[in-house]
Each structure stands twice: as C-alpha cells, then as structure tokens.
Amino acid sequence: MSFNVPADAYARFMGQFSEPLAVQFVEWADARTGHRAVDVGCGPGALTAQLVRRLGAGAVVAIDPSDSFVAATAARFRGVDVRTGVAEHLPFPDHSFDLALAQLVVHFMTDPVSGLREMARVTRAGGLVAACVWDHAGESGPLATFWQAVRDLDPGAHDESDLAGAREGHLAELCSAADLTHVESGKLSVRVQFATFDEWWEPYTLGVGPAGAYVARLDDDARDALRIRCQQRLPAGGFEINASAWCVRARVRPVGVVAAS
Ligand SMILES: C[S@@+](CC[C@H](N)C(=O)[O-])C[C@H]1O[C@@H](n2cnc3c(N)ncnc32)[C@H](O)[C@@H]1O
C-alpha cells in the first residue's frame, strides 16, 4: 500500500496540504468541547492535532491501517487512543462517539459505503459523520498539475479522478447509500506556497500515495521527462498551489427511524 511510508515523507508530500485543511475540516464538523471523536484514517495526525486542540487528548481516538502512521500519531499525541485498523471494520462498540471524521480517506477505502456505515455505527444517534476528499475530478486538488503532466506524457495513465468522493456530489451520494441523514455538502480550500520548483517536486519522489507510487515505477529517463513537463506547467520562481476538497457532513439516524422510500 502506498501509505506504508515514513511519517515524515507523508508530512513533506501531503501533510503540507492536509495540516491546514484539518483546521477548516474541524470547523465544518463543528467539533466542540464535550464531544468525543474518532479520526478514521488518521495518517500521521493532521486532523488528530486539530481534534486534540478542540476536544482534549482524552476525547480523541484515531485509527489507521498504516503501522508507521499509527506509531507516529501515538508518539505525537500522548493520551490519544491510537489503533491499527480500517474504516470498514472499526474496533469500537456501537454509539461510542459524537463525531466520526475521515479526512482524505474515503477515496482509499476498499468499500466506501461500508466504511461510512461503520463510522455511523460507532457514532451515537443524532451524532455527526463527516468526510472530505480532494477535488481530483475537477482538477482543483493539490495534485492537479502533476496528473496533467502525467497525462501529457502517458495519456493512458490511471490518475485519481475516478476515486470515490473525488467528484462533486459523490460524497453525499455515498453518505445517503450508507443510510446517513441530513446530508450537507461543501468545499474547503487551502493555499500552500512553494519557494522553488524543486521544493514542489521533491516530495513526489518519496513514494507517497498513488502519485508517489506512479513516480516510483518510472525509470530514470521517464522520471526526468515528467519532472521537466511539470516544471513547464508551473510558473518560474516561487508560486502558490490553491487546493480544494469536497466535504460532506451528515447525521446518524435515530435507532428505529427508517429512511423514507
Ligand atoms: C491521504 S492520507 C490522509 C491522512 C490524514 N487523514 C490526513 O488528512 O493527513 C489517507 C490515509 O488513509 C489511510 N487508509 C487507507 N485505506 C484505509 C481504510 N480502508 N480505512 C481507513 N484508513 C485508510 C491511509 O493509511 C492513510 O493514512
């Protein structure tokens, strides 16, 4: 799996976007003092950090299938219960949390509807399930320039645009399929500055996620060609990447209340 990488590699690649995204996502989920929350697919803890800041470590549980990320999150946050596991099989009793959140995870779930159903199961009736995924389909995600350059050179390449939740409205469809109610959609955006092209490119060589895995499969010549194509697509000197994510929040249906047909 392309997330079996050191936590600092993730931080240099995606963490620079997901850390500021988490500030907005906890706001979107309205995480407040007194809430108990689970961070599903916590990675090295971008969202965990914001939940701890708002709720306190004792009110936050985090879970991820990547051993290196679980170790990093446990080391980063004393007092947070950090587990190894996947969204589709959460190791928690029913109704354990007020909030179940998944930042940049639904598109990597083997079965996104099952994952969201599990998030609903472990959340109390009336509690909130929220998720966000980069707008890979609309090309306003942080990796848009990279995948455009890939397609310039390799038109048949498989990018991330068809992943679950990566197109407008799809997260809401998945929440409805998972029997969540009061589904609301939105969009969050972050800006990240890069001083040089090399500062932007180097994290792609660390093997993180589908983009890193794509680069890792290339031979030296193909990797050089892709780096040059990316550089041609970006402004010379310093530049800013404006990245947007689709987000959704939905309520857990009270026990015994069935969906209208
Ligand atoms: C893009 S990272 C997001 C990490 C973190 N939430 C953040 O915002 O930085 C995707 C994460 O999802 C995790 N993941 C992959 N499949 C998963 C699944 N089925 N259930 C839960 N997490 C999963 C990966 O291990 C990785 O940590």
Side-chain angles (χ1 to χ4, degrees):
M1 201 231 288
S2 49
F3 290 106
N4 280 328
V5 292
D8 69 317
Y10 180 86
R12 280 158 64 196
F13 178 67
M14 188 48 67
Q16 57 192 336
F17 293 97
S18 70
E19 295 273 346
L21 182 68
V23 176
Q24 298 183 34
F25 187 48
V26 287
E27 190 70 37
W28 168 255
D30 198 21
R32 290 166 186 236
T33 307
H35 284 156
R36 187 171 151 74
V38 58
D39 177 1
V40 175
C42 62
L47 175 61
T48 318
Q50 296 308 317
L51 291 170
V52 167
R53 188 173 63 82
R54 287 192 169 217
L55 313 182
V60 178
V61 175
I63 183 165
D64 198 281
S66 162
D67 291 335
S68 55
F69 291 175
V70 167
T73 301
R76 186 174 169 189
F77 306 104
R78 293 175 76 98
V80 174
D81 177 3
V82 188
R83 310 278 187 97
T84 302
V86 293
E88 294 87 340
H89 304 284
L90 292 174
F92 310 116
D94 297 356
H95 320 306
S96 301
F97 304 99
D98 302 290
L99 305 171
L101 311 182
Q103 172 171 291
L104 309 177
V105 179
V106 168
H107 52 321
F108 296 118
M109 292 180 188
T110 309
D111 183 340
V113 174
S114 293
L116 289 164
R117 257 189 220 283
E118 271 290 271
M119 290 170 68
R121 179 188 64 75
V122 301
T123 304
R124 67 167 168 78
L128 195 90
V129 171
C132 62
V133 171
W134 294 122
D135 176 28
H136 290 307
E139 305 213 329
S140 72
L143 312 181
T145 301
F146 171 83
W147 285 117
Q148 285 158 359
V150 168
R151 286 195 301 272
D152 289 346
L153 303 176
D154 177 7
H158 192 199
D159 61 20
E160 298 176 63
S161 58
D162 64 351
L163 295 180
R167 64 177 187 274
E168 185 169 12
H170 195 225
L171 280 173
E173 287 174 36
L174 294 169
C175 284
S176 297
D179 201 31
L180 287 153
T181 185
H182 296 83
V183 181
E184 294 176 78
S185 299
K187 201 174 192 184
L188 307 174
S189 295
V190 298
R191 291 165 184 266
V192 178
Q193 299 280 345
F194 293 88
T196 63
F197 171 76
D198 286 345
E199 185 183 306
W200 177 90
W201 168 254
E202 191 261 351
Y204 285 91
T205 66
L206 302 176
V208 184
Y214 181 88
V215 173
R217 284 194 299 272
L218 300 176
D219 63 24
D220 289 350
D221 288 347
R223 193 161 51 247
D224 280 349
L226 178 57
R227 181 177 50 74
I228 290 164
R229 188 66 193 129
C230 287
Q231 193 159 17
Q232 288 167 343
R233 280 189 160 273
L234 287 164
F239 54 88
E240 184 176 80
I241 299 291
N242 189 0
S244 297
W246 301 115
C247 58
V248 72
R249 60 188 174 203
R251 295 278 163 196
V252 175
R253 213 178 278 286
V255 178
V257 176
V258 292
S261 53

